Amino acid sequence: MRINQRAVVGTAALMTLALGATACGGARGGGADGGGDAQTIKFSHVVTPETPKGQAAEKFKEVVEENCGDQLTVEIYPNSELYGDEDELQALQSGAVQMLAPSSAKFTTIAPQLQVLDLPFLFDSVEDIPEVVAPDTEVGKAIYENEALAKRNIKVLGLWDNGLKQLSSNTKMQEPSNLSGLRFRIQPSDVLRSQFAQWGGAETTPMAFAEVYNALQQGVIDGQENPYSNIESQNMHTVQKHITESDHGYIGYVLSVNNDFFDSLSPEVQDCVTNAADEASAYNREIAADLNEEAKQTILDEGSTTITELSDSERQAFKDAVVPKVWNQYADVIGQDLIDELLANQK
Ligand code: LMR
């Protein structure tokens, strides 16, 4: 079921060059001789179509193609098959693709404030997410009104959920010290590096998502963190004996469009695309938790991975090791006011 897409990294890099070259003129001109106004949204992502992001992307395509006129089509490229973590943001900025939905951590170099979403234990449960990230909250403003993204020609159309992350490795992890001596793959976020350092001094290696399965299988890394849907759809559990249900962090996706492309659309089509993004976002919220539950059940049914559910006090020990320490460590990147407000709202 899983396609280990980036086993062919070299091929993909060549494809990237070729596609980048053909896409330089942007998406306009998809019609014969460039005479019509046909336009294509190339939407690239790194997960499988079955995941919360994959399904929301399909919903977006369905709504756009149904409501926004014959001239606009959406092509979805899942599984890092067109662009992967290492080159997709560049492709978005250059207009080689028009839309992406990378997780917040992938923006660390271009919009470091988005690491607010990577803060460990920002949410205690998935039910808390919509309220904390609503566009009119301080966290929401950091995402929707992010100036660094605007400067990079990136407009934010929504925030999609995957869910809360769990820890996996071949070692049972019931308390932070159990992570001592292990090396975890992280997304490229300093916050995540600091989080693991607080848990028994665990080591970290930033790595593209598409490479994680092979790296786990070959023992290049000992473990990783992800929601169940990502673990199961990449078959990571087949090479990890233990998962700890820590619910310790969030994977949220910043639904991003190339701003020049968006501006090139007529006002009616812009509204239509914005509405389709809203509809896909609502759909994503509806399905994400269930898809993660189903993925957890699949892992349990396969029977080769033990899932350890932490008691409240065990989870608290993981939390106490990083909150407020790691949050305060990033106050100057994320914003002291925002950190203070989030800390004040901590239960
Ligand atoms: C990861 O890199 O672990 C995730 O961000 C992948 C994804 O897009 O869910």
Side-chain angles (χ1 to χ4, degrees):
M1 157 158 120
R2 176 183 149 275
I3 306 159
N4 194 15
Q5 60 284 18
R6 279 273 162 140
V8 282
V9 173
T11 314
L14 287 174
M15 269 178 67
T16 299
L17 283 174
L19 287 159
T22 54
C24 277
R28 193 175 271 281
D33 304 304
D37 279 320
Q39 290 179 294
T40 303
I41 295 176
K42 288 196 171 97
F43 188 144
S44 173
H45 67 77
V46 302
V47 292
T48 69
E50 295 80 23
T51 55
K53 175 161 61 182
Q55 293 282 294
E58 296 291 342
K59 173 60 84 179
F60 175 74
K61 172 181 166 71
E62 183 190 308
V63 179
V64 166
E65 293 184 350
E66 198 171 300
N67 296 345
C68 304
D70 295 346
Q71 298 298 305
L72 189 59
T73 51
V74 180
E75 291 172 2
I76 300 174
Y77 298 90
N79 283 321
S80 310
E81 71 188 32
L82 184 55
Y83 292 101
D85 284 339
E86 63 286 9
D87 49 16
E88 66 176 9
L89 278 165
Q90 189 47 45
L92 180 68
Q93 290 171 76
S94 72
V97 294
Q98 287 66 47
M99 285 183 72
L100 304 174
S103 62
S104 51
K106 308 284 166 69
F107 292 89
T108 301
T109 35
I110 68 169
Q113 198 191 11
L114 289 180
Q115 287 176 100
V116 64
L117 293 175
D118 301 324
L119 291 174
F121 298 96
L122 182 60
F123 307 107
D124 273 317
S125 84
V126 281
E127 282 87 51
D128 298 341
I129 297 171
E131 198 183 324
V132 180
V133 301
D136 57 347
T137 63
E138 289 310 308
V139 176
K141 285 182 198 153
I143 300 158
Y144 291 93
E145 296 168 24
N146 192 290
E147 287 175 15
L149 291 184
K151 277 197 196 121
R152 301 269 184 164
N153 194 28
I154 296 173
K155 180 178 172 64
V156 177
L157 290 180
L159 181 72
W160 290 354
D161 286 350
N162 186 327
L164 298 180
K165 290 182 284 189
Q166 321 303 349
L167 294 167
S168 76
S169 81
N170 285 321
T171 302
K172 185 166 180 181
M173 298 165 290
Q174 203 145 5
E175 53 184 74
S177 63
N178 297 147
L179 278 68
S180 192
L182 301 181
R183 177 171 292 277
F184 287 81
R185 174 268 176 172
I186 51 166
Q187 304 178 85
S189 156
D190 296 335
V191 168
L192 301 178
R193 180 175 43 74
S194 300
Q195 164 200 286
F196 277 106
Q198 293 305 314
W199 292 338
E203 301 284 341
T204 47
T205 303
M207 186 181 287
F209 183 65
E211 290 164 18
V212 179
Y213 172 83
N214 284 339
L216 289 170
Q217 190 190 38
Q218 289 160 16
V220 175
I221 45 172
D222 301 301
Q224 63 82 45
E225 51 167 13
N226 251 301
Y228 284 117
S229 59
N230 276 355
I231 295 175
E232 189 271 331
S233 58
Q234 298 295 315
N235 271 348
M236 291 177 198
H237 61 292
T238 64
V239 288
Q240 298 276 265
K241 291 196 180 73
H242 290 277
I243 293 176
T244 295
E245 189 165 293
S246 45
D247 283 342
H248 66 273
Y250 173 60
I251 288 220
Y253 303 119
V254 182
L255 181 62
S256 307
V257 62
N258 175 295
N259 199 42
D260 288 344
F261 167 76
F262 190 79
D263 282 349
S264 76
L265 302 171
S266 70
E268 297 75 36
V269 176
Q270 285 181 3
D271 281 351
C272 192
V273 167
T274 306
N275 290 338
D278 289 347
E279 203 170 317
S281 303
Y283 179 71
N284 161 262
R285 284 258 157 87
E286 252 171 64
I287 61 168
D290 285 350
L291 290 179
N292 278 301
E293 267 311 304
E294 282 167 25
K296 176 181 175 183
Q297 195 54 51
T298 303
I299 294 170
L300 285 169
D301 291 347
E302 287 181 21
S304 58
T305 313
T306 305
I307 297 183
T308 303
E309 294 183 6
L310 298 178
S311 67
D312 287 351
S313 64
E314 286 167 342
R315 184 171 183 269
Q316 192 65 39
F318 278 93
K319 183 169 179 175
D320 287 346
V322 290
V323 183
K325 187 165 184 181
V326 172
W327 294 29
N328 284 329
Q329 219 175 318
Y330 290 90
D332 49 348
V333 179
I334 290 169
Q336 187 69 56
D337 291 351
L338 183 48
I339 295 288
D340 288 347
E341 188 177 313
L342 289 168
L343 283 173
N345 289 335
Q346 271 294 295
K347 291 171 196 156

